[in-house]
Amino acid sequence: MMITFNNLCLKYVGVAFYTVSRSLTTVFNVIFTYIILKQRTSLYALVCCGVIIGGFLLGVDQEESSGTLSLIGIIYGLIASASLSLYSIYTKKVLKLVNDSVSLLSYYNNVNAMVMFIPLIVLSGEVPAIMKFSQLDSLVWWSLVVVVGIFGFAIGYVTMLQIQVTSPLTHNVSGTAKASVQTVLAVAFSKQVKSILWWTSNALVLLGSAMYTRVRQLEMAKSYNERGP
């Protein structure tokens, strides 16, 4: 679901606006963390989330001003953000059921995905397309598929590891910061011209992410000192 709505969001919004449209992952994470994990978020962390929301709203305003705003794209982005938040939170919750074994949870996830994809492939009518695919006997194509699979597994593993040692919210904030950098690179690569306020919206997202990282660092250090070595 998360990947599906990610792709749908990219279909209707530009790469440059994709990060802004997905930046509310942090907000959903705060809400779902409280509802599902019963964990409260500090006031300082909420202020950081407010900065990120400000960047999101400013980005939407700038897209509307430029005439490139896609409402359906934003909706897909919001659903993708909510899905990513739920994925992170339930990963944190389920890790306890597998004795905090990231490897075991990764194994279960991949096996489940393999099984669940079979009926989806059939229902979507892709079986004939697969049978007619001209590269099925291509060693190069299968080699690329294996490489993609390895990287996909690595990303999933590192994601779970980060969630395990930090929190779902920290994982999503770091992802937002990474995506903001990717946005800047995408704009530079495609040689697009953006307004100062558009750049400000991305800067706010990055600033809010950096502020949150610092706040969480201080909170974790304080918690560690209170528990003692």
Side-chain angles (χ1 to χ4, degrees):
M1 184 176 178
M2 175 183 65
I3 297 175
T4 299
F5 284 106
N6 268 340
N7 293 336
L8 287 172
C9 179
L10 274 172
K11 179 180 178 180
Y12 290 98
V13 303
V15 176
F17 183 64
Y18 173 71
T19 300
V20 177
S21 66
R22 289 286 320 284
S23 61
L24 290 188
T25 300
T26 304
V27 180
F28 283 117
N29 227 114
V30 171
I31 297 171
F32 293 144
T33 295
Y34 178 75
I35 295 174
I36 299 172
L37 299 181
K38 308 300 180 184
Q39 295 179 1
R40 294 180 179 272
T41 303
S42 69
L43 178 60
Y44 291 117
L46 289 176
V47 171
C48 299
C49 292
V51 175
I52 296 174
I53 294 174
F56 169 80
L57 295 176
L58 182 58
V60 170
D61 177 72
Q62 289 304 295
E63 285 294 307
E64 184 177 14
S65 299
S66 63
T68 58
L69 180 66
S70 170
L71 180 59
I72 188 65
I74 292 177
I75 292 174
Y76 284 141
L78 291 175
I79 297 175
S81 297
S83 300
L84 178 57
S85 297
L86 288 172
Y87 170 79
S88 302
I89 290 171
Y90 275 104
T91 294
K92 185 76 171 181
K93 189 173 183 179
V94 173
L95 271 170
K96 298 177 182 178
L97 302 178
V98 292
N99 297 321
D100 284 328
S101 174
V102 174
S103 300
L104 185 57
L105 185 56
S106 296
Y107 171 76
Y108 285 147
N109 273 356
N110 282 279
V111 171
N112 287 336
M114 289 171 59
V115 174
M116 292 174 65
F117 259 109
I118 294 175
L120 290 175
I121 291 173
V122 175
L123 291 174
S124 62
E126 293 187 4
V127 174
I130 294 174
M131 299 303 296
K132 295 178 182 178
F133 186 56
S134 60
Q135 300 295 321
L136 280 179
D137 58 349
S138 171
L139 181 61
V140 174
W141 185 81
W142 280 107
S143 299
L144 292 174
V145 169
V146 171
V147 171
V148 170
I150 292 173
F151 278 109
F153 176 81
I155 291 172
Y157 187 89
V158 172
T159 295
M160 291 182 188
L161 192 61
Q162 184 185 36
I163 294 172
Q164 181 189 42
V165 299
T166 57
S167 69
L169 184 54
T170 300
H171 163 68
N172 287 322
V173 168
S174 65
T176 300
K178 176 203 68 175
S180 295
V181 174
Q182 289 176 332
T183 296
V184 174
L185 293 176
V187 172
F189 181 79
S190 59
K191 298 180 180 179
Q192 297 181 24
V193 178
K194 297 293 184 179
S195 67
I196 294 178
L197 287 178
W198 186 92
W199 285 107
T200 302
S201 70
N202 281 272
L204 285 174
V205 172
L206 276 174
L207 176 62
S209 301
M211 289 169 57
Y212 174 82
T213 301
R214 179 56 178 167
V215 167
R216 286 296 297 159
Q217 182 185 29
L218 294 174
E219 289 177 351
M220 291 175 69
K222 181 180 178 181
S223 177
Y224 176 79
N225 291 331
E226 289 176 350
R227 291 198 308 267

